Amino acid sequence: MAEEGFPRRIAVIGTGLIGTSIALAMRERGAEVVLADRDAAALAMAVELGAGTALPADGPVDEPADVAVLAVPPAAVAVTLLDAQKRGLAAVYTDVASVKALPLRQARELGCELGTFVPGHPLAGRERSGPAAARADLFLGRSWALCPPPETEPEAVEAVTALARACGAEPVTVGAEEHDRAVALVSHAPHVVSAAVAARLTGADDMALGLAGQGLRDVTRIAAGDPKLWIGILTGNAQPVADVLEAVATDLAVAASLLRDGSERAAAHVADLLLRGNAGCSRIPGKHGGDPSAYAVVQVVIPDRPGELAMIFQAAGVAGVNIEDVRIEHSPGRPLGVLEISVKPEAARRLAEELRSRGWSVPGLA
């Protein structure tokens, strides 16, 4: 049985990263989950991972689910919703596409029953795709946008809100058009910019790539996403994404022109862009969506060997220090790296002393 207040029976159509992760999260809550996917191999993998049991492919169902999750690309949401409603698959329907206005408009055009449909978008993901990359904890602490149109019944919104919370997410209600403009700025356009930078590397020689540091990895990390998935997202939210890209392109074109100019006045204008970048970065919400925090960074030189990170985290626990964030800067060609641990400023010296006492090299913070 599922915990009280959570949907007890879930149907998930689409066993990719998001769909399978939702299934795994709800299985941990004790819900019964049935799965469907056109890709037989993906469905079999999700079933093997314990995400649920396979749903019969056609015809009406014997027992409708409380909530059906349509984990399909934006362009497929409306037709999948219509088919699911004709089958009587569930009492309430939601989707997880990262574009909301287009699927909702198409659902209206197809004559879908919108009273039971709650467009949704869990803002979580990974560079990897497919059921093998799924995790039950993928949504913990993450926002989950809900974009119900005026026709949606309150009971349907309550059911999908309960689903999002059961997965560990924080539901946020927002209009479909406003959602699409927001994700164009904070997700979709940044992916294209990351891809544009990464594309420059295809012709780079080994010497240049050997000099790559963490900064390049940070900028290009999301460029590793599945192009087939992303072209569906970008074309589904084309105008808002294009608006952001044009603004970014203008800034870059102006910066390029000024750098070629080479004068002090030109340099000052480029510096203005960098300062605006600082200001924008400072507005990104911090941990748990709160205000950005100024953390101290404790750097630790670590050898590349099993158990090293676990021992460092244990040392932090002994010192009574909470680790706010962590990343590793690898040393090319050497079996060691630098672990950068972000902590509250008042805890930095205590952590450094604990680590030094255990034999690790901690530069600075004398």
Side-chain angles (χ1 to χ4, degrees), residues 94 100 104 117-123 142-150 152-154 156-162 164-165 169-183:
T94 188
K100 298 272 67 84
L104 183 55
F117 179 46
V118 185
H121 176 207
L123 283 93
R142 306 302 295 269
S143 297
W144 191 311
L146 301 179
C147 308
T152 304
E153 299 167 359
V157 178
E158 291 174 5
V160 178
T161 298
R165 287 188 173 137
E170 295 293 330
V172 178
T173 302
V174 60
E177 300 284 352
E178 183 181 1
H179 166 275
D180 287 359
R181 290 192 299 271
V183 294

Side-chain angles (χ1 to χ4, degrees), residues 251 269-284:
D251 276 341
H269 284 289
V270 176
D272 177 68
L273 174 61
L274 300 179
L275 288 170
R276 285 191 287 125
N278 289 162
C281 192
S282 70
R283 295 198 63 200
I284 299 174

